[in-house]
Amino acid sequence: MGVETVAAERKAPTFQTAIDRWARVGPYYAMFPVDFAFEIIDTYTKKGDRVLDPFVGRGSSIYAAAAKERTGCGIEINPVGWLYSSVKLRPTTKGRVLNRLQELASEAEDIDIERANLPEFFSYAYAPDVLRFLLAARHTLRWRAGESKIDRTLMAFILVHLHGKRSSSLSNQMRDSKAMAPDYSVRWWKEREMHPPSINPAIFLEQKISWRYKKGKPELSGDDLLGDSISLLRSKDQRRALSEPFDLLFTSPPFYSVTYYHSDQWLRLWMLGQRPSPRRRGGKWERRFESQSDYHELLAGVFGGAAPLMSNDAVVVVRTDARKFTLCATIEALQKAFPNKKLQEEARPLKRKTQIDIYGDTSKKPGEVDIVMTPK
């Protein structure tokens, strides 16, 4: 896929190229704006450069890098974001994913919903045929790294449309980027007498898949690793992805005490084999980052682990929260990891409502800051 397919000035998506059609795959909380990712790649790298993002989320940074003939390597601890990112780089062919969809639809006919013993939420969120299909996908698809590329691609499509507006998803009315609490959702649907949409999931997904592939598919270079960045950046087992020096560190760490990044994706994580309810506890780096000492440890560990992998003249670009603690902690960790680089801050005040506003937090927010570090 040549760079001529990527517009230099990226205003609104036209969806007239495969690059544009696949760039925004994956509703995700606190995701990088796609246009911003392309802007940074254009500004600070050239063809053939290597880009590292240790908090890659749904993969906009490494996708933009690969689309512009660079090589990206991302690390993501949340399997939902990792799956979006890895599929966008190299999805299977349309024919294979559609064939697998039909196989799965046939398998779903034999699923007994009652035996799944799911909470009340699921019967209000999904019609019986849809729920049978989801249970079949959950138990059958081999989506993990090193398993089936076909199954991984199909699972990505299922996750994208797992919940959202009734007209564009498999679920009863719900937000697309964040799965709400089950009790709240059931109460909300009951009060409005809203029942799940009765749709054929295979036909619904076939239409979504066909639209996505209409302009072709990307086949981009890059690596996407699933796991804890602190551990993986120091792992001797990741030599292929992390062996050559990187020319740009481009990332946005989770903001301090904003949201439960894993709990927000509890329904999609259920599809990937986890429990059928939100989970506020879990691994140390899967929480809300309410401990300042843990937050300092996270930033120091990730940036400190990335520093030895960067070339001598590498550039660092980090987008972070403008609130005092998050900003100061980020700057402190970056200056310790990269003492020989000069640092510049560029304020990015919020010009529109954010996802946090939409979800009920209407407190005044100072916006974001882009931290740029260049060789002295």
Side-chain angles (χ1 to χ4, degrees):
M1 184 65 63
V3 295
E4 68 274 3
T5 62
V6 182
E9 297 294 331
R10 303 181 59 86
K11 304 285 185 186
T14 63
F15 301 117
Q16 295 306 305
T17 68
I19 291 297
D20 272 333
R21 291 222 168 189
W22 289 83
R24 290 164 175 79
V25 165
Y28 205 63
Y29 192 78
M31 52 197 173
F32 254 158
V34 173
D35 296 346
F36 173 67
F38 274 89
E39 174 189 338
I40 294 300
I41 297 300
D42 278 331
T43 302
Y44 295 106
T45 65
K46 61 184 184 300
K47 289 182 182 180
D49 279 357
R50 286 168 51 80
V51 179
L52 174 64
D53 185 346
F55 299 104
V56 79
R58 70 170 186 172
S60 295
S61 57
I62 62 173
Y63 184 88
K68 302 291 283 186
E69 297 186 3
R70 286 72 163 162
T71 299
C73 178
I75 303 174
E76 176 54 39
I77 195 171
N78 192 317
V80 175
W82 171 83
L83 197 144
Y84 290 152
S85 181
S86 59
V87 167
K88 284 193 298 188
L89 287 174
R90 291 180 292 274
T92 191
T93 63
K94 175 183 174 182
R96 287 173 178 165
V97 74
L98 288 179
N99 286 341
R100 190 68 176 105
L101 173 63
Q102 295 306 316
E103 291 175 359
L104 191 62
S106 296
E107 295 173 20
E109 295 175 1
D110 299 326
I111 296 292
D112 184 351
I113 296 175
E114 297 301 323
R115 292 187 63 184
N117 196 28
L118 292 169
E120 179 185 33
F121 167 89
F122 288 87
S123 63
Y124 277 91
Y126 301 107
D129 285 347
V130 175
L131 190 51
R132 271 189 282 271
F133 176 85
L134 296 180
L135 287 168
R138 185 174 184 269
H139 293 297
T140 302
L141 295 182
R142 297 168 55 248
W143 55 268
R144 293 170 178 80
E147 294 186 334
S148 170
K149 181 178 179 180
I150 299 171
D151 284 9
R152 188 158 53 252
T153 304
L154 179 54
M155 181 61 87
F157 278 102
I158 294 172
L159 292 188
V160 167
H161 300 288
L162 185 63
H163 57 83
K165 295 180 180 179
R166 289 170 62 94
S167 60
S168 58
S169 74
L170 296 164
S171 74
N172 209 337
Q173 181 66 30
M174 208 183 309
R175 292 167 180 143
D176 62 350
S177 60
K178 178 179 180 178
M180 305 306 291
D183 290 345
Y184 170 86
S185 300
V186 171
R187 185 169 62 251
W188 195 87
W189 291 325
K190 284 182 176 179
E191 288 173 353
R192 292 157 180 78
E193 297 184 351
M194 296 184 68
H195 301 284
S198 181
I199 57 178
N200 183 315
I203 293 175
F204 174 88
L205 287 170
E206 181 178 0
Q207 293 171 344
K208 300 297 183 181
I209 291 167
S210 296
W211 181 87
R212 189 70 63 180
Y213 278 92
K214 190 172 183 180
K215 300 296 180 179
K217 72 180 188 72
E219 189 67 30
L220 303 174
S221 62
D223 293 283
D224 194 15
L225 309 178
L226 174 61
D228 165 17
S229 287
I230 294 179
S231 300
L232 289 178
L233 288 170
R234 292 177 165 85
S235 172
K236 294 181 180 179
D237 296 330
Q238 302 299 334
R239 287 192 179 94
R240 184 178 69 84
L242 302 173
S243 59
E244 298 179 30
F246 290 93
D247 305 287
L248 173 66
L249 174 63
F250 175 32
T251 195
S252 181
F255 294 176
Y256 170 73
S257 193
V258 169
T259 186
Y260 294 92
Y261 289 86
H262 278 63
S263 182
D264 288 345
Q265 293 292 338
W266 74 266
L267 189 50
R268 291 185 172 106
L269 288 171
W270 168 78
M271 270 302 304
L272 298 181
Q274 297 191 22
R275 59 188 291 177
S277 59
R279 177 171 60 98
R280 291 290 173 94
R281 295 184 178 273
K284 187 174 184 179
W285 309 125
E286 299 176 348
R287 305 172 190 169
R288 194 180 180 183
F289 301 104
E290 294 177 297
S291 162
Q292 292 190 358
S293 61
D294 283 353
Y295 194 72
H296 278 295
E297 182 184 346
L298 173 69
L299 297 183
V302 173
F303 294 140
L309 304 177
M310 309 306 296
S311 64
N312 292 334
D313 57 351
V315 174
V316 177
V317 178
V318 175
R319 171 162 285 189
T320 190
D321 184 7
R323 291 177 304 156
K324 184 176 180 180
F325 172 75
T326 311
L327 178 59
C328 291
T330 305
I331 290 175
E332 177 185 334
L334 285 170
Q335 288 181 324
K336 184 175 181 180
F338 302 97
N340 297 320
K341 295 188 185 296
K342 58 184 179 182
L343 183 148
Q344 179 179 343
E345 301 175 41
E346 183 174 348
R348 299 277 187 168
L350 298 176
K351 298 180 180 179
R352 55 183 173 80
K353 282 191 174 183
T354 67
Q355 292 172 325
I356 302 172
D357 293 315
I358 295 170
Y359 297 149
D361 179 2
T362 57
S363 60
K364 186 176 181 180
K365 304 171 188 68
E368 298 168 324
V369 174
D370 291 340
I371 302 170
V372 180
M373 302 184 77
T374 54
K376 292 182 178 178

